[in-house]
Amino acid sequence: MCAFLSFFKQNAFHVHLSDNLYNNVDQYSAQQSMDLYAAFRLWSDDPALAGLNKRANESYTKEQFDNIQQQCARRGVTIIPEIEAPGHALVISQWRPELALDDLSMLNITHPNTIPTIKSIWKTFLPWFHSKTVHIGADEYDKDLVADYTSFVNTMQDYIFKESGKSMRIWGTFIPSQGANVSTDVSIQHWEFFEDNPYFDYIQNGYNVLNSDDAFYIVGKWSGSYPSTLNKTRVFHGNPAGGAYAPNIFDTKNSTNNPPRNDPHVLGHIAALWNDYGPNSTTVLETYYSWRDTLPALADKQWGGSILEDEYDAIFDKIHAAIPGQNLDRQVKSHTDTILHYKFDKDTETVIDHSGNGYDGIIRGCHVQNSTLVLSNGCYVDTPLGSKGRDYTLSFWVNPASQTPGTLFTGPDSTLLSGNGSISNVTLISGGNPYSLNYSLPLDTWTQVNLIGKGNQTLLRVSDSGAESTSMEFLARLGINGESQVWAPIGIEAPLARIGEGFNGMMREVVLRGSAD
């Protein structure tokens, strides 16, 4: 991702390392709130933080986070870390309930152990961070507690600077006219005009402001109020005084709310992508598709470029194809639409690829009989491929010999299973999240299966010999606490690295095509 960002001159990647879902904890009882999904993303064995992070397999170790920061820095991209408090702090309240207000997503700043606890978190993790600026969040807090809020922010500013020499940033929340007296050494990240007017409330009071106005606020997959992709029209026509967008344009409708283009208090612009509706709302690569088609245009305007919309549309495919050091589209080179074709026509260790692309596989412990791959006892086939991104059709015939769920195909981005745990429903797993169909493969029966990636949709079409085909769609159920807000499409890459590990049965005629049938 940093290679992609770097190519389009993005030099900061702001990463949330703690948070909870959208700020509606007040809808739930205290016990329900304690059970809501909230997460802390750094894993430390520091005894002072024991119990803060309950999700080791969803977290970064120091070694991993060092590697991320180093790899991104080599591409000119700085990771800006954010640890949220005193709002959006449900993960801390779940760890230390005595520190919370009645709304458990907010910390009680006046509790004698609150600030020492937050300091202990930062003391552990400040040495992990390579950036010169760190972010403490500090948004969407109780409007009746402005004085406590100000004291918290200024205390943390002093502590972080003395402890590390780093600068501190917060989200725009309370303004001087509301009684806030936050130090001007703290930079402000503006995101919404109902919180502040960045020009009049902050810049004219001596604050440095980073522009993240919700003109480019996007939410992965679905939201009741925000789009899931960047707004290209706003990029090219977002200046209310005429012309394209720029970092000094906080208000795309009223130019009097915008400082001059060269105002030194404007630190730049970051477009924010959020995941508001649950940990299964997006796959890793779906977040990339929220940026893919429009971020290059936005980058041109962030840096004062003059490309026009029709010129951009004409050149986009060429510049996208030139991005080095990444393959986020998960493209696979092929001479024709048929990328891979395994007929299993010889009982040899090598599985010949009849597509003409030479993607031969290696059989690991299985045998072939009558053009059929016999899978049992954990055997599998290795392929030289990993994943295939949008669009694709992965077609195969399968005959399960056991009701025990097994792996049909697996790759670095996803896994296709004949069942999941105690259920026999066909399931795709991506990002650790299962997406199951209301369908099970019939036992001891040959079924033709087509896994289809079509844009942001993932489909399964099945048929047995002579029967009509049935199509189904993998969907994400978005919601929290067992409540469903909406079913939404999910775009999952085809898994191709390995065939059949843990599956008992037979398979034949595996074909991957680069189009969605």
Side-chain angles (χ1 to χ4, degrees), residues 207-223:
Y207 292 93
N208 293 324
V209 179
L210 178 63
N211 185 357
S212 287
D213 185 78
D214 78 347
F216 293 102
Y217 183 125
I218 55 179
V219 174
K221 190 177 300 302
W222 179 87
S223 168

Side-chain angles (χ1 to χ4, degrees), residues 250-269:
F250 294 99
D251 192 331
T252 59
K253 297 178 181 178
N254 184 351
S255 61
T256 64
N257 286 328
N258 299 324
R261 179 72 171 86
N262 61 351
D263 192 310
H265 290 294
V266 178
L267 297 177
H269 178 259

Side-chain angles (χ1 to χ4, degrees), residues 219-223 228 280-283 286-287 390 428 435 437 452-459 472-478 486-492:
V219 174
K221 190 177 300 302
W222 179 87
S223 168
S228 60
N280 68 328
S281 296
T282 55
T283 69
E286 276 189 310
T287 63
R390 307 172 184 184
L428 268 170
Y435 305 91
L437 297 173
I452 302 166
K454 188 174 185 178
N456 67 344
Q457 295 178 282
T458 308
L459 310 166
M472 297 154 280
E473 182 174 2
F474 292 93
L475 297 169
R477 182 175 182 262
L478 309 187
V486 65
W487 290 92
I490 190 90
I492 299 179

Side-chain angles (χ1 to χ4, degrees), residues 66-83:
D66 275 343
N67 183 58
I68 291 168
Q69 292 176 98
Q70 290 166 1
Q71 293 296 328
C72 290
R74 289 185 180 122
R75 293 166 170 82
V77 179
T78 298
I79 300 293
I80 305 295
E82 178 176 344
I83 297 175

Side-chain angles (χ1 to χ4, degrees), residues 51 69 98 112 195 300 388 442 446:
Q69 292 176 98
E98 70 277 9
E195 296 285 6
D300 180 72
K388 171 66 176 75
W446 280 106

Side-chain angles (χ1 to χ4, degrees), residues 374-391:
V374 181
L375 294 153
S376 62
N377 300 318
C379 76
Y380 56 89
V381 175
D382 271 333
T383 86
L385 304 180
S387 301
K388 171 66 176 75
R390 307 172 184 184
D391 290 328

Side-chain angles (χ1 to χ4, degrees), residues 420-464:
N420 186 34
S422 61
I423 64 173
S424 62
N425 304 53
V426 173
T427 300
L428 268 170
I429 293 180
S430 183
N433 294 305
Y435 305 91
S436 297
L437 297 173
N438 187 23
Y439 171 80
S440 301
L441 291 167
L443 197 63
D444 298 320
T445 301
W446 280 106
T447 302
Q448 186 178 32
V449 179
N450 289 277
L451 179 67
I452 302 166
K454 188 174 185 178
N456 67 344
Q457 295 178 282
T458 308
L459 310 166
L460 195 80
R461 188 172 66 242
V462 296
S463 62
D464 56 26

